[in-house]
Amino acid sequence: KMFNLAERWGLRVDGTNPCRHVERFPERPRERFLSDDELARLGTVLKGAEEGGLASAEAVAAIRLLLLTGCRVSEVLRLRWEDVDIERRCLKFADSKTGAKRIPLNSAAISVQVSSSMFGVAAIRSMRYCDMLSARLGPRTSIQTFLA
């Protein structure tokens, strides 16, 4: 795509894209859900990380909110209190990757939100803690193991 853009913008001579005849790898949509066992193990890891001081409460809350809502990481990072409608039990995103949308909240997701201060700057730091937490826990209990 970049070579095609470079040709269109006049940065490369037309027809010089070295990738022109390379077949693209077919993308196949994946749908993956954590099993009950994986959810239980992840819950144990998160609780231990929070209690052991390996992760902040905000980082753990961010991961729980991702699991409970199916939100994109970017949506959780940009989440503000004005996006949360407790009365209607939903998150309202005026601008998401796919446009405006509402995400329903179950009781567990509402309790995560109400009990946390994971909005704004705290959320951005939280996701950095998630990466650090994954590194500290090691490959056998890495959060990436559960989310891959």
Side-chain angles (χ1 to χ4, degrees):
K1 185 172 182 177
M2 287 303 297
F3 284 112
N4 289 336
L5 285 174
E7 286 180 11
R8 233 179 268 146
W9 295 341
L11 300 173
R12 289 186 64 91
V13 177
D14 281 342
T16 61
N17 181 350
C19 302
R20 184 175 42 184
H21 298 292
V22 176
E23 291 184 32
R24 290 184 180 206
F25 185 75
E27 289 189 30
R28 295 183 187 119
R30 287 190 309 150
E31 194 169 282
R32 166 90 161 74
F33 299 99
L34 297 179
S35 68
D36 291 341
D37 180 55
E38 289 171 321
L39 282 171
R41 289 187 348 220
L42 181 55
T44 301
V45 168
L46 290 174
K47 185 176 180 181
E50 187 175 16
E51 290 174 354
L54 292 173
S56 69
E58 292 87 4
V60 173
I63 294 170
R64 287 184 177 138
L65 191 60
L66 288 168
L67 289 167
L68 294 168
T69 63
C71 285
R72 291 180 171 87
V73 172
S74 62
E75 293 169 338
V76 170
L77 291 179
R78 290 192 321 261
L79 192 61
R80 304 280 183 241
W81 275 114
E82 57 263 20
D83 301 328
V84 181
D85 189 340
I86 300 287
E87 188 176 303
R88 291 187 178 88
R89 302 175 68 88
C90 68
L91 298 176
K92 299 178 294 182
F93 294 106
D95 186 30
S96 178
K97 181 177 179 180
T98 57
K101 69 178 180 178
R102 291 180 184 262
I103 296 179
L105 297 174
N106 60 23
S107 298
I110 288 174
S111 69
V112 166
Q113 288 185 329
V114 169
S115 67
S116 76
S117 62
M118 58 164 287
F119 298 100
V121 175
I124 294 168
R125 284 196 308 262
S126 297
M127 296 316 291
R128 289 185 188 142
Y129 286 132
C130 293
D131 293 338
M132 290 177 5
L133 170 62
S134 184
R136 286 183 188 174
L137 293 173
R140 295 184 58 176
T141 54
S142 169
I143 289 175
Q144 295 303 323
T145 300
F146 294 102
L147 302 179

